[in-house]
Amino acid sequence: MFEFFAGLNPVYQALLAGLFTWAMTAAGAAIVFPCRNFNRRLLNTMLGFAAGIMLAASVWSLLIPSMELSGEWGSLKWVPAATGFILGAGLIAGIDRVLPHLHIGFPRETAEGIKTSWPKSTLLILAITLHNIPEGLAVGVTFGAIASGQPETTLAAAVTLALGIGIQNFPEGIAVSMPLRGEGFSTFKCFWYGQLSGLVEPLAAVLGAAVVVFAMPVLPYALSFAAGAMLFVVIEEVIPESQLHGNTDYATFGALAGFLIMMILDVALG
């Protein structure tokens, strides 16, 4: 099975990896079927865990390879990494200011972006969708990077990142579907909207892989672009949400555990 996967074009590999990360979001959203409520402390711990994974992935899977490739290709190591990082964070920051959305657990009046009368459920879904775009790009860029043939860009490293993103998508699916349940939505609608928020990941993964494959010189910039976008989301959204209900110690230890596990996975498997 792995040999078949390894023989595919990197764009197809990115599509399959993106579908896996979406499926993990859907699996988390499906928790709404057996559970009407979910322990808030556990959810905050899991969101912290997701933040830790994204932080570690941004460093080991994206920024460090970006700098190593830049050095091998004759550039100053920090220039493409810093440039892409600023562009990635800046793009998501710009979308964040325009796109109407509401972070999970916050009251309706704190919605960000252009003011609108859209229902709270729509704003929640848009927030998670915005969150998932950088994750899909990160997965796609690492698979597209395989075409470069560089030792820093291996299939094992790309699969490790996809695995880490998939693991942290599980609590995100819960974090969407459960609040909708509290808003009075039917169980099926809670699941539907929860998994729908992750559907953008395979699309973003294909886009990221295609850009890198067809324009290989942008690879160091693309890697750091995805890192900047992910870190903006972590700092602006995931960490505040994980600590919103006072479970700060649990969320913090969850983040440390996620960071440690992703670091170990990336070094040991990547």
Side-chain angles (χ1 to χ4, degrees):
M1 181 65 180
F2 189 79
E3 292 179 358
F4 168 77
F5 185 75
L8 294 175
N9 181 282
V11 176
Y12 291 118
Q13 292 175 339
L15 174 61
L16 292 176
L19 289 172
F20 164 73
T21 60
W22 160 77
M24 291 296 289
T25 304
I31 295 295
V32 76
F33 287 111
C35 302
R36 292 186 61 87
N37 296 295
F38 198 82
N39 183 275
R40 174 57 63 179
R41 180 179 294 173
L42 177 58
L43 180 56
N44 288 345
T45 304
M46 294 172 73
L47 286 173
F49 182 81
I53 285 181
M54 293 173 72
L55 286 170
S58 297
V59 176
W60 271 273
S61 299
L62 299 170
L63 285 174
I64 290 177
S66 171
M67 290 185 281
E68 291 177 345
L69 284 171
S70 298
E72 291 181 5
W73 291 0
S75 301
L76 290 173
K77 284 187 175 183
W78 62 269
V79 173
T83 302
F85 185 90
I86 292 170
L87 291 174
L91 176 64
I92 299 301
I95 297 174
D96 185 76
R97 291 182 65 87
V98 174
L99 181 71
H101 63 284
L102 176 65
H103 297 308
I104 296 168
F106 286 80
R108 175 67 172 77
E109 55 270 19
T110 63
E112 300 179 10
I114 296 174
K115 299 302 178 183
T116 177
S117 59
W118 293 349
K120 185 176 180 179
S121 58
T122 301
L123 298 176
L124 287 169
I125 293 164
L126 287 174
I128 297 297
T129 300
L130 175 62
H131 176 154
N132 285 340
I133 291 174
E135 296 174 9
L137 286 175
V139 170
V141 166
T142 54
F143 277 97
I146 296 171
S148 71
Q150 299 296 317
E152 298 86 1
T153 57
T154 64
L155 177 60
V159 169
T160 300
L161 177 62
L163 178 62
I165 296 295
I167 291 172
Q168 64 93 38
N169 273 359
F170 184 80
E172 290 178 5
I174 299 172
V176 177
S177 61
M178 284 300 177
L180 294 179
R181 193 78 178 98
E183 294 291 318
F185 282 74
S186 70
T187 303
F188 179 77
K189 281 189 175 181
C190 292
F191 165 74
W192 176 254
Y193 289 130
Q195 64 81 32
L196 193 63
S197 67
L199 198 57
V200 69
E201 288 199 17
L203 302 177
V206 168
L207 175 62
V211 168
V212 170
V213 167
F214 293 109
M216 192 57 66
V218 307
L219 176 56
Y221 297 90
L223 287 166
S224 57
F225 181 95
M230 286 225 308
L231 283 177
F232 179 89
V233 168
V234 172
I235 297 168
E236 200 268 345
E237 179 181 341
V238 183
I239 291 176
E241 288 174 9
S242 71
Q243 305 206 2
L244 180 63
H245 297 276
N247 299 312
T248 55
D249 287 344
Y250 291 91
T252 299
F253 283 118
L256 292 172
F259 189 97
L260 180 64
I261 289 173
M262 187 64 204
M263 180 184 70
I264 292 172
L265 285 174
D266 197 277
V267 175
L269 303 180

